[in-house]
Amino acid sequence: QVQLVESGGGLVQAGDSLRLSCTASGRTFSSYSMAWFRQAPGKDREFVASISWNSNTGYADSVKGRFTVVRDNIKNTIYLQMNSLRVEETGVYYCAAGLGGTSVRGYGAWGQGTQVTVSS
């Protein structure tokens, strides 16, 4: 099973940018759909962005035009470039691998998460 490790979280101000990375172990990385979810305190984990094995992307409506997800199958890594961050986007960001889609049920492997805090 693929193992995922996120990095790149931190404390930024509203309007700033941040880039998250997720590196996977395993030789079958290129065959998985990958995604980013986030979870704010007391809330359910919500879909942010996804990228299929052939780099088709999908985004939550709230991040379209500001966030970009890309994958590098040579480095077994996906990235989430987040621009114009908002306070309400504070939370733990999780990387996931699986069949795809916008539901947590579409993904069987998860990273440990990386904290993103956006201050006003």
Side-chain angles (χ1 to χ4, degrees):
Q1 179 160 342
V2 66
Q3 295 184 322
L4 307 172
V5 178
E6 303 99 332
S7 61
L11 172 63
V12 296
Q13 291 188 323
D16 284 351
S17 298
L18 204 59
R19 189 179 79 157
L20 305 182
S21 301
C22 170
T23 300
S25 63
R27 293 175 293 177
T28 58
F29 170 80
S30 61
S31 66
Y32 287 104
S33 285
M34 304 292 295
W36 289 97
F37 287 76
R38 66 186 174 207
Q39 189 165 21
K43 295 190 176 181
D44 291 337
R45 197 167 296 188
E46 65 174 357
F47 171 78
V48 175
S50 64
I51 186 164
S52 69
W53 65 272
N54 59 349
S55 293
N56 289 325
T57 57
Y59 297 94
D61 287 343
S62 64
V63 308
K64 284 179 180 176
R66 297 186 297 118
F67 289 15
T68 303
V69 59
V70 297
R71 68 188 297 159
D72 183 337
N73 287 338
I74 301 299
K75 296 182 177 180
N76 280 9
T77 299
I78 66 167
Y79 304 94
L80 182 67
Q81 178 66 44
M82 304 185 293
N83 297 329
S84 302
L85 280 161
R86 302 169 179 172
V87 173
E88 59 266 30
E89 292 174 326
T90 293
V92 178
Y93 282 67
Y94 295 93
C95 175
L99 297 178
T102 61
S103 169
V104 296
R105 292 186 295 273
Y107 301 88
W110 294 83
Q112 82 288 350
T114 187
Q115 177 70 43
V116 173
T117 303
V118 186
S119 64
S120 58

